[in-house]
Structures are given as C-alpha cells and as structure tokens.
Amino acid sequence: MKSFPNSWFKREAEMEFAGEIVEVNRVEDFKPKDQVFGFIPPILVHVFRRKGVLAHYAAIPSNSLAHRPESLTPQQASGVSLVGLTAYQAMYELVELQPGQIVFVNGGTTAVGIYAIQMAKALGCRVIATASGKNEEFLRGLGVDEVGSASLRSPIAKILTRLVSAAQFLDYTKAPLVETLTSNPNAPKINVFLEAVGFTTTDLYRASEKYLAPGGTFLSVGPATSTPGGGIFSYLWTTLLRPTWLGGVRSKFKWASSP
C-alpha cells in the first residue's frame, strides 16, 4: 500500500476474509447464509477489480472459498488462506524436504512463518526460527522448546549440535543474523532458508553460500515495502537477474508467493 498510494490507484485493501454468503451466481457448492472463509486473488485486488475485502460486500471467485469449520471463529479463519497457502507452497512445492534436514525460518512469528514451522516439523525436519525474545513463549507453543537466544553469540555449530528436539529459537535482537550464520564456516549447513519477514536487505541472500548446504535453497516471500537501496529493483537484480559472472549469488533462489 505504501508503494502504490490510494491517491494514485483507488482501491479497497486486504485480500483474506471470513464472512457469510449473501448471493451466489451459478454455483452449486455454496448457498446464501453459508459461513465461509477465503481470499481474493491478489491480481484482482491490485490490477483488475482494485477491490479488496475491507468492505461490507465483496465478490469472490468460488474457487477461492471454503466452508468455515465450526471449530474456527471468523477471526481465526480470516487469517488462514493466503499465508497458509504461501507456507504450503514453500515447504511442499518449491523444495523436496526430507526428515532430518535443517530448515531455517527467519521471522518465526510472521503469519507465513507460523505455518511454515509447523509444516516443516510435520515433515520431520529440524527447525530453527528467529523472533524477538518477547515472542519466545508463543514459539514454544508451536514446538520451539530449546531457547537459543543466550547462545546467539556462540558459533552456530554449537547451537545446531544442541538440537535435541524439533526446533530451535533464536532471538534476532541479540546479534546481526548474517553475522551469526556466517561466523563459523564449519557449522552444519542449512538445507532450506525461508525469509518470511520480507526482504528489507539482500545481505542474507548474498551471504547464503556460506551457510546453505550443497543444493540448498533460499526461499523468500518477496520484498518488504520498506526495502532500502533501490527497493524492488535492487531485490530483483540481486536475487533473479544478476548473473554469476557479474558477481551474482550461486545459491538457488525461489520466490514463495500467494496464489
């Protein structure tokens, strides 16, 4: 929204929702008064209709809807669809995770990060997640049961070798993450790195050859709106366009995006 102010492109915001159907058009799976949740495809919000769900009524394609389970409140269901699908794409479609592999989620308490942690654990992976110290208990509830914030100043090899359960919690406020990941070249390597915060800098990707395992993948949910140093153009050049013979990064990069 910061990138495209409403003074330039008038539109209603937001894409995920939960609500009640008031009218259907040639659809058999839904009827009026059904309780549903889902999303408007981003391309409809940003390009074609320019109308999101931050309104009393919204027209939704039926293939972007699902019946809301009674076990979920409207508030809970409204935050499931896009972020859940993005995490699913990252963990199940863009990479082929194997039990025992190491997955690093930068932004463990982001919407995508929360889902990705649980999906990676369900696949039997060892998960390292970053967050601020105040969110430690929340991540413990997701299964992050060994706290690594006090160990962040130690080589990351010590952190990884102490993984006695499924996941590791790192407090990113204690030291720069790039420094932590690259401080020991002999540390166990990461198979999949998920940047779930959104690119605010390309430093992590540019240093990824030092901490990713051979064949490892760097996944990103895309650039943040506050990305400095050229913003989206710098992001695209560094991650997708810059060839290795011009100093580009050799690590495999993939973009996990919402439908």
Side-chain angles (χ1 to χ4, degrees):
M1 293 177 68
K2 290 182 180 178
S3 301
F4 301 100
N6 282 336
S7 58
W8 298 350
F9 300 102
K10 296 290 185 181
R11 67 180 188 275
E12 296 157 0
E14 301 303 326
M15 293 171 280
E16 297 176 286
F17 72 95
E20 181 179 296
I21 292 179
V22 295
E23 185 178 339
V24 297
N25 182 22
R26 298 193 300 273
V27 174
E28 297 180 357
D29 296 332
F30 301 98
K31 62 183 184 300
K33 296 189 176 182
D34 279 353
Q35 299 298 311
V36 295
F37 72 103
F39 65 94
I40 296 182
I43 193 170
L44 295 182
V45 176
H46 296 300
V47 180
F48 294 109
R49 295 182 185 172
R50 296 181 183 171
K51 290 185 177 181
V53 297
L54 203 61
H56 289 297
Y57 300 96
I60 313 295
S62 61
N63 60 1
S64 297
L65 280 178
H67 290 93
R68 175 171 63 84
E70 293 184 0
S71 58
L72 290 180
T73 67
Q75 291 84 355
Q76 291 170 331
S78 64
V80 169
S81 51
L82 280 181
V83 294
L85 288 171
T86 301
Y88 182 89
Q89 181 191 51
M91 296 292 100
Y92 286 87
E93 297 180 351
L94 296 181
V95 295
E96 296 182 3
L97 287 174
Q98 302 297 325
Q101 288 187 325
I102 298 174
V103 175
F104 195 114
V105 179
N106 185 34
T109 55
T110 62
V112 173
I114 290 169
Y115 284 99
I117 288 170
Q118 298 174 83
M119 291 176 185
K121 287 185 61 178
L123 291 169
C125 297
R126 295 190 293 173
V127 181
I128 307 169
T130 64
S132 61
K134 66 181 181 180
N135 290 315
E136 175 187 336
E137 289 304 315
F138 175 73
L139 285 187
R140 283 183 183 275
L142 299 180
V144 178
D145 46 21
E146 183 183 344
V147 180
S149 58
S151 303
L152 200 55
R153 295 185 178 90
S154 303
I156 198 169
K158 293 182 180 180
I159 298 173
L160 296 178
T161 55
R162 289 170 50 214
L163 286 171
V164 295
S165 52
Q168 168 77 44
F169 171 82
L170 298 179
D171 186 346
Y172 70 87
T173 65
K174 300 295 184 181
L177 185 55
V178 174
E179 177 185 314
T180 303
L181 291 170
T182 60
S183 61
N184 186 350
N186 297 317
K189 302 301 184 181
I190 296 166
N191 300 102
V192 173
F193 186 102
L194 173 61
E195 172 56 84
V197 175
F199 256 97
T200 56
T201 173
T202 56
D203 290 350
L204 281 168
Y205 178 61
R206 286 190 286 109
S208 60
E209 292 180 57
K210 296 180 180 179
Y211 59 79
L212 283 179
T217 304
F218 190 106
L219 302 175
S220 173
V221 297
T225 56
S226 59
T227 304
I232 182 64
F233 302 104
S234 173
Y235 168 82
L236 292 174
W237 171 249
T238 302
T239 59
L240 299 174
L241 301 177
R242 188 175 185 177
T244 55
W245 56 271
L246 282 179
V249 181
R250 291 182 173 82
S251 299
K252 190 184 305 180
F253 177 90
K254 292 187 179 181
W255 194 338
S257 61
S258 51

